[in-house]
Amino acid sequence: MVSARRAARTAAAASLAVAACHIGPAATWLPAPRGLLWPVLDGRGAPARVALTFDDGPDPDSTPHFLRALDALSVRATFFVLGERLARHPELGRRIAAEGHELAVHGWRHDRPWWPRPVRDLRDLARATDLVAEAAGRRPLWYRPAYGILTGGRWAAARAAGLRPVLWSAWGRDWTHDATPDSVLAEVTRTLRGGATVLLHDSDVAGAPGAWRAALGALPDLVARCRAGGLTVGRLADHDVGRGRPRPDGRRGTRPAASARGARGT
């Protein structure tokens, strides 16, 4: 009887440990502690820059509109793409890269990681990374998990794939059915600071149908406001994420100014 109770307690403790290792890192989703404790994960970069990023593509119905708008604005951005969508539309992935934008990894599919699946995490992230590398002609640098939820399995998979996890410092809440260009612009600029990484969506695969139009409509004013504030809008690869971290061209990141270090994410 005693040994049975001891075995049950041991099994329960082991289950709790597994659950903690799986879901514990997801606390980084919370913007306030992330901005304070993990500025690199928050996407904090050079204080004179803003990194513009898009999630959930590529989508032939919406992504080309963003590419045309960015070209008209002379802005290059980072697109976090889903592996299963890139597999369906590889030519669009190649177009994104050919037009000077950066391709990054958003996982294989847009799902929530409620249960530990470390083997699947490793497999899915590896094949998504390979597809992105094939489309871009180079290995990607960044990984942003679906819903911004970084589990223990996703951390390990990113490390195995040679990817750097990064979330965001400001977002537009552009996936909702009532999002408008004005609401997206107001939400982004509410927390926008120099050194921020901005999250928008070039697809409605995980949002309300047609919600991407709100982000598209907000782009010109968002870029104009950044430039009026002396901020350069561009790709994560050019953003010097992390103090003293090496960039792809061999240069090292700049030390963020005090105001940028204090910026809080959303």
Side-chain angles (χ1 to χ4, degrees):
M1 181 68 70
V2 174
S3 61
R5 286 198 298 266
R6 184 178 301 151
R9 287 195 297 268
T10 301
S15 297
L16 287 173
V18 169
C21 290
H22 172 66
I23 207 64
T28 57
W29 188 91
L30 298 169
R34 183 175 74 241
L36 180 65
L37 301 174
W38 299 286
V40 173
L41 187 58
D42 205 42
R44 203 83 52 78
R49 301 188 65 90
V50 167
L52 181 60
T53 71
F54 296 93
D55 282 7
D56 297 353
D59 188 328
D61 293 330
S62 55
T63 302
H65 294 284
F66 286 86
L67 295 178
R68 287 191 289 271
L70 291 168
D71 184 61
L73 294 166
S74 298
V75 169
R76 299 297 174 261
T78 298
F79 286 78
F80 284 86
V81 298
L82 293 165
E84 66 174 358
R85 298 196 65 80
L86 184 58
R88 293 183 210 168
H89 310 292
E91 73 292 340
L92 188 49
R94 290 191 293 268
R95 176 183 169 185
I96 293 170
E99 294 189 11
H101 304 288
E102 181 182 24
L103 285 175
V105 182
H106 198 36
W108 184 257
R109 61 181 65 83
H110 207 283
D111 56 358
R112 288 184 173 90
W114 298 129
W115 305 105
R117 294 189 177 98
V119 174
R120 194 184 78 172
D121 288 339
L122 285 167
R123 182 196 65 222
D124 286 357
L125 198 56
R127 61 176 175 161
T129 301
D130 288 344
L131 272 182
V132 170
E134 183 178 344
R138 63 178 64 186
R139 298 290 292 180
L141 298 174
W142 313 102
Y143 167 55
R144 176 182 289 153
Y147 300 104
I149 301 174
L150 268 171
T151 61
R154 287 177 168 183
W155 273 106
R159 185 178 180 87
L163 300 173
R164 291 176 61 182
V166 65
L167 299 183
W168 58 85
S169 316
W171 65 8
R173 292 188 179 275
D174 53 340
W175 61 88
T176 63
H177 69 90
D178 57 349
T180 66
D182 287 343
S183 74
V184 171
L185 182 65
E187 183 63 27
V188 171
T189 55
R190 185 175 66 84
T191 54
L192 185 63
R193 303 288 187 275
T197 290
V198 173
L199 163 62
L200 296 174
H201 295 80
D202 66 306
S203 168
D204 58 14
V205 65
W212 57 268
R213 297 181 186 277
L216 181 67
L219 268 183
D221 285 341
L222 173 59
V223 172
R225 288 200 187 187
C226 288
R227 287 172 172 167
L231 300 173
T232 299
V233 182
R235 309 175 306 171
L236 264 172
D238 307 312
H239 195 44
D240 288 332
V241 177
R243 291 179 293 172
R245 298 258 180 180
R247 284 173 31 162
D249 58 7
R251 293 167 54 194
R252 301 191 75 80
T254 57
R255 182 182 179 89
S259 59
R261 290 200 304 271
R264 292 176 60 183
T266 301

